[in-house]
Amino acid sequence: MEEKEQILELLRQKGVAFEEYEHEALANVMDRVEKGLCYDAVICKNLFVATRKKDRVFLVMLRAEKRADLHGLAHALGTPHLGFAPAELLAQLLHQRPGAVGPLGILRDQGARVEVVFDESLRHVPRVAMHPSVNTATVVLAFDELERIIRQNGNRIYYYASPAEMLRKQQNCRKKFAIYS
C-alpha cells in the first residue's frame, strides 16, 4: 500500500472525518494558493527541523503567509539552534520526503519522537488543508481533529506565537516569546 493510502486508512481507523482532493503536483505552499486549491480551509506550510545534534526534531505548521522565524522558535523551545533536518531523518521518522511534508506523517512516528509546533493562530480555525505525504493530493480536516490524533499518537504539541503577534495581542507584553503545550 502506498504511503498516501496508509495515511488515509489510519485516518479512517481513528474515525476522523476528512475530505480528499487529487490535483497536479505542487512545488510549494504558494503554488496551492496561486492555483486556488484552498478547499475552504486554512493553508499552511510545514517545516521539518531539528537541533544541531538531531536530539530534538520538530514538525512546524504555520499559516502559508507567515515567515518562519527559526531563530525565535529555537529560543522559545530552549535550544540554541534549529535548522532544516536531513531528508533521511524525515523519511525515517515520518515516511515523507521534502516537498510533501505534513502533519499527517506524525501518524507514522511510532516512537513519538517528533515534537509538533503549531502556529498559535491555528488554534481556533475550523479547517486546515495538508498533503497526505504526497504533493499530488490534499486532505482537509478539522484542526481539532488533527490536534486530537497527534496527541493520541503520543507526540508533544506546542503552540507558538512570535513576539510581534504577542505584542499585537497584549499591550506591554513583557514576555519575549510564548510557548504553550
Side-chain angles (χ1 to χ4, degrees), residues 92-157:
Q92 175 192 348
L93 295 175
L94 302 184
H95 301 261
Q96 295 180 332
R97 58 181 172 67
V101 176
L104 295 177
I106 293 295
L107 299 176
R108 304 277 283 152
D109 180 19
Q110 295 178 356
R113 181 170 169 210
V114 179
E115 299 173 61
V116 178
V117 180
F118 288 126
D119 179 338
E120 170 66 29
S121 70
L122 296 174
R123 191 182 285 265
H124 301 291
V125 301
R127 295 163 38 102
V128 288
M130 65 209 68
H131 289 310
S133 297
V134 295
N135 66 354
T136 56
T138 294
V139 168
V140 176
L141 53 88
F143 180 77
D144 290 348
E145 282 289 278
L146 177 62
E147 181 183 25
R148 178 183 67 80
I149 61 176
I150 290 172
R151 285 192 194 283
Q152 279 181 345
N153 199 61
N155 298 78
R156 187 151 194 192
I157 294 177

Side-chain angles (χ1 to χ4, degrees), residues 8-55:
L8 298 179
E9 184 56 31
L10 285 168
L11 290 175
R12 288 183 197 99
Q13 288 172 8
K14 294 178 178 299
V16 176
F18 65 91
E19 300 163 20
E20 177 194 3
Y21 301 93
E22 300 286 330
H23 48 72
E24 64 189 90
L26 300 174
N28 58 53
V29 70
M30 294 318 289
D31 256 9
R32 176 187 301 284
V33 174
E34 289 167 10
K35 293 177 180 178
L37 301 174
C38 298
Y39 309 112
D40 196 30
V42 172
I43 305 305
C44 297
K45 64 176 85 169
N46 298 284
L47 310 171
F48 190 64
V49 299
T51 60
R52 276 198 180 104
K53 294 179 184 176
K54 315 282 183 291
D55 57 337

